[in-house]
Amino acid sequence: MQFFPDMSTFIKIGNFQITWYAIIILTGAFLAYYLTLRQVRKWGYKDEIFENFFLLLLPIGILGARIYYVIFEWEQYAADPISILYIWNGGLAIYGGIIAGTIFGIFYFRHYRIDILRMADAIFPNLMLAQAIGRWGNFMNQEAYGGIVSADYYAHWPAFIRDNMYIDGYFRQPTFLYESIGNIIGFILITFVYKKYGRKKRGDLMFAYLSWYGMVRFFVEGLRSDSLMIGNIRVSQMLSLLLVLAGVLGILGVWHRLFKNVWPFKKQKPAVIFDLDGTLVDTKELIYKSFIHTFEKYKPGYHLSEEELKSFLGPSLKNSFLRYFDESQIDEIIAYYREFNHAHHDEFIKEVPNVEQTLKYLKENGYPLAVMSNKLSDIVRMGLQCFKLEDYFEVILGGEEISESKPSPQGILEACEKLHVPHDNVIYVGDSPTDIQACKNMAAFSVAFVLEESRKEEMEKEKPCALIQDMKELITLVKEDKEWSDTTI
């Protein structure tokens, strides 16, 4: 039999050493961090918010895990309290880390006005993967093992597992491996199956984690020979049952119903942000005539087809003109376009039916309202003033005030900041593919407004969260019990 007496050490130089335990724990933590960061980026969060969270969470989680372990193993440390600091020798209880990390996360994300249930759905499934990896740190430290088994038990196992499970003169059950495999299965089921086909509300992925991990840990803990105990009760089994109960009740919606008027389960009214052209006012004819007039001067003899004219609805003027002209001409061409557009604005602009009725309802019922358009803000205001719509909006953003034009989500994010609302619950209503793409780029709830039947197919291809053909349908939509974000992202 080959025996590995010191598999715990990765490298040792003099009195300095790096343990496998530390490497494996940190590998799991950084993988969970990377996967979560990739998700929250898709939701439009700034990297530094989650980077700072992780940098603070790591020591807080380790501290919580250590304190929890020491509390239940105090007799081991009472005679030599300094050994409490020797975490590289093992002795971290994951439940302590989860409790400490959760309490910290609640305060941290509330400070940034981020929906905690939404963030928990991003974090907890990846935490399960980190735990699966972390259990191999227990293996390297020869801890978290089960009862005695015969040598035959490992007849077909890899030698390195068999040999490191030979502890104190006996072969031991590899309970670390049971839990690691259970966690990997849970991560796959929650991330790739339940997330797509089962979840119904925010918090469901967190509740699925609690249910699955609690179940796995309960059964694995029953096989371990080094459990933390209170009398004859295994502490982790007791806590696991509580997690399963909390998770199942959460999935069934009990917590949402019991605490529907209490944060974080209280539903928030979404901010409703509108595009201007083709959404609040009908400017199609004005835009067409402005482009035709501009092309007559700068590209004489060129005939713009109907499809080309349609393609100008949505993108910024710069992006539209760059398809036909050299960049050195663009500023002059845009100025000429705007001169004509401004002079003939009231002549060609038209009213969109039921817009004022809809805005009045939203305003009276406390929905934060904004307009965000690629157009210059003075032209946006001109369009709103034509039909006395300006006073309905708390924020009006034009293209010169936005750092990046659509399909970048920056305009929607900046509108949320000026409204002083988080962007976890936001509806953006627009009539062009770039409007829907901007929503997709931050997972906002996209509403495609189709004024003309001929554009319906084009908008459906973008897969908006909802499609309406009459603006008053928005009143019915906002009354629905929905997550006001794109849950497919």
Side-chain angles (χ1 to χ4, degrees):
M1 180 185 71
Q2 186 180 8
F3 177 61
F4 295 85
D6 193 20
M7 281 187 68
S8 63
T9 303
F10 172 69
I11 189 171
K12 186 173 183 179
I13 304 174
N15 292 325
F16 174 78
Q17 66 176 8
I18 299 174
T19 65
W20 275 111
Y21 184 83
I23 291 173
I24 292 170
I25 292 292
L26 290 175
T27 297
F30 276 99
L31 179 59
Y33 162 73
Y34 167 75
L35 292 174
T36 307
L37 180 62
R38 190 174 66 170
Q39 177 64 72
V40 299
R41 278 175 177 165
K42 294 179 182 178
W43 292 347
Y45 293 111
K46 296 176 181 177
D47 283 6
E48 55 263 32
I49 289 178
F50 194 72
E51 287 171 354
N52 293 337
F53 169 72
F54 179 75
L55 290 174
L56 293 169
L57 174 69
L58 198 57
I60 288 171
I62 292 173
L63 181 62
R66 186 60 167 177
I67 291 172
Y68 184 98
Y69 184 85
V70 169
I71 287 172
F72 291 104
E73 289 287 326
W74 178 243
E75 290 184 6
Q76 175 184 335
Y77 296 98
D80 185 22
I82 193 66
S83 64
I84 293 172
L85 303 177
Y86 302 162
I87 62 171
W88 50 86
N89 290 331
L92 298 178
I94 186 62
Y95 275 140
I98 293 171
I99 292 169
T102 300
I103 292 171
F104 168 66
I106 288 171
F107 285 99
Y108 183 87
F109 291 118
R110 189 168 190 181
H111 172 74
Y112 283 99
R113 297 182 303 163
I114 293 172
D115 189 295
I116 289 174
L117 294 179
R118 191 183 190 201
M119 189 57 70
D121 281 342
I123 293 172
F124 275 91
N126 298 327
L127 172 61
M128 185 171 285
L129 182 60
Q131 290 173 248
I133 294 169
R135 279 303 176 199
W136 286 87
N138 297 134
F139 166 71
M140 303 304 283
N141 270 4
Q142 292 187 312
E143 59 189 9
Y145 51 80
I148 296 170
V149 294
S150 68
D152 292 340
Y153 182 88
Y154 285 103
H156 302 291
W157 286 68
F160 78 97
I161 293 180
R162 178 198 65 204
D163 294 340
N164 213 44
M165 283 292 96
Y166 189 77
I167 302 168
D168 297 333
Y170 299 97
F171 286 104
R172 304 282 185 159
Q173 281 198 69
T175 48
F176 84 92
L177 183 60
Y178 303 159
E179 186 174 324
S180 181
I181 292 172
N183 287 342
I184 289 172
I185 293 171
F187 169 76
I188 292 170
L189 289 176
I190 293 171
T191 304
F192 300 105
V193 180
Y194 185 66
K195 182 179 180 180
K196 186 173 183 179
Y197 301 107
R199 73 177 297 280
K200 294 181 174 63
K201 59 190 177 303
R202 284 183 183 169
D204 273 358
L205 300 185
M206 175 187 67
F207 292 132
Y209 163 86
L210 296 179
S211 302
W212 184 271
Y213 180 67
M215 176 187 67
V216 170
R217 183 63 184 270
F218 178 85
F219 288 108
V220 171
E221 193 68 22
L223 299 173
R224 284 177 58 170
S225 59
D226 60 346
S227 298
L228 301 177
M229 307 291 289
I230 297 180
N232 295 323
I233 299 174
R234 295 175 188 260
V235 176
S236 291
Q237 279 195 316
M238 182 174 61
L239 190 51
S240 294
L241 288 176
L242 293 176
L243 289 190
V244 172
L245 179 63
V248 170
L249 292 177
I251 290 171
L252 294 175
V254 173
W255 305 129
H256 285 77
R257 290 192 293 272
L258 284 177
F259 303 109
K260 63 181 179 181
N261 294 319
V262 180
W263 176 91
F265 297 101
K266 186 177 181 179
K267 287 284 187 179
Q268 301 294 320
K269 287 185 177 179
V272 186
I273 304 172
F274 294 85
D275 177 44
L276 178 74
D277 293 332
T279 304
L280 295 174
V281 294
D282 183 357
T283 55
K284 188 179 89 167
E285 186 177 3
L286 174 64
I287 292 170
Y288 281 13
K289 289 187 179 296
S290 299
F291 271 102
I292 291 169
H293 175 77
T294 304
F295 270 70
E296 285 175 351
K297 176 176 180 179
Y298 289 95
K299 211 172 183 68
Y302 186 89
H303 174 72
L304 287 167
S305 68
E306 183 69 20
E307 286 303 311
E308 286 177 298
L309 289 169
K310 282 183 180 179
S311 73
F312 298 143
L313 303 176
S316 66
L317 289 175
K318 182 176 181 179
N319 289 339
S320 294
F321 283 126
L322 278 173
R323 291 156 48 192
Y324 298 91
F325 302 100
D326 187 81
E327 189 167 5
S328 61
Q329 298 177 275
I330 296 302
D331 289 344
E332 177 187 343
I333 293 171
I334 288 176
Y336 187 78
Y337 170 97
R338 284 177 174 157
E339 182 182 359
F340 178 90
N341 186 280
H342 193 281
H344 296 273
H345 183 275
D346 294 355
E347 180 183 350
F348 296 120
I349 195 172
K350 297 177 183 177
E351 185 176 10
V352 174
N354 298 316
V355 164
E356 186 171 12
Q357 173 190 345
T358 301
L359 293 177
K360 184 178 181 182
Y361 172 85
L362 295 173
K363 186 77 171 179
E364 289 177 349
N365 285 275
Y367 291 88
L369 300 179
V371 177
M372 190 280 291
S373 172
N374 282 340
K375 275 191 168 183
L376 295 179
S377 55
D378 62 335
I379 303 297
V380 173
R381 291 181 183 277
M382 280 182 64
L384 296 173
Q385 289 165 1
C386 275
F387 304 108
K388 300 179 180 179
L389 303 177
E390 186 176 10
D391 291 342
Y392 287 106
F393 299 100
E394 300 169 51
V395 171
I396 297 172
L397 279 180
E400 80 280 14
E401 301 173 277
I402 298 167
S403 56
E404 296 177 38
S405 60
K406 295 176 286 187
S408 165
Q410 283 306 309
I412 303 175
L413 293 169
E414 288 169 27
C416 289
E417 285 187 16
K418 289 185 178 295
L419 285 170
H420 304 293
V421 298
H423 69 262
D424 293 302
N425 296 287
V426 59
I427 298 171
Y428 187 68
V429 188
D431 73 310
S432 72
T434 54
D435 293 325
I436 308 305
Q437 291 160 15
C439 290
K440 296 286 184 183
N441 288 331
M442 61 168 282
F445 191 94
S446 53
V447 177
F449 177 60
V450 179
L451 190 59
E452 297 177 349
E453 186 69 27
S454 61
R455 299 197 67 196
K456 184 177 181 180
E457 184 178 351
E458 175 190 23
M459 295 301 287
E460 286 177 333
K461 288 180 180 177
E462 299 298 328
K463 298 182 179 179
C465 299
L467 186 146
I468 60 175
Q469 294 183 264
D470 187 318
M471 190 56 74
K472 65 184 178 183
E473 292 177 55
L474 188 60
I475 297 174
T476 303
L477 180 65
V478 298
K479 293 177 181 178
E480 296 180 11
D481 184 14
K482 287 183 177 291
E483 283 182 64
W484 298 113
S485 57
D486 193 328
T487 58
T488 66
I489 296 171

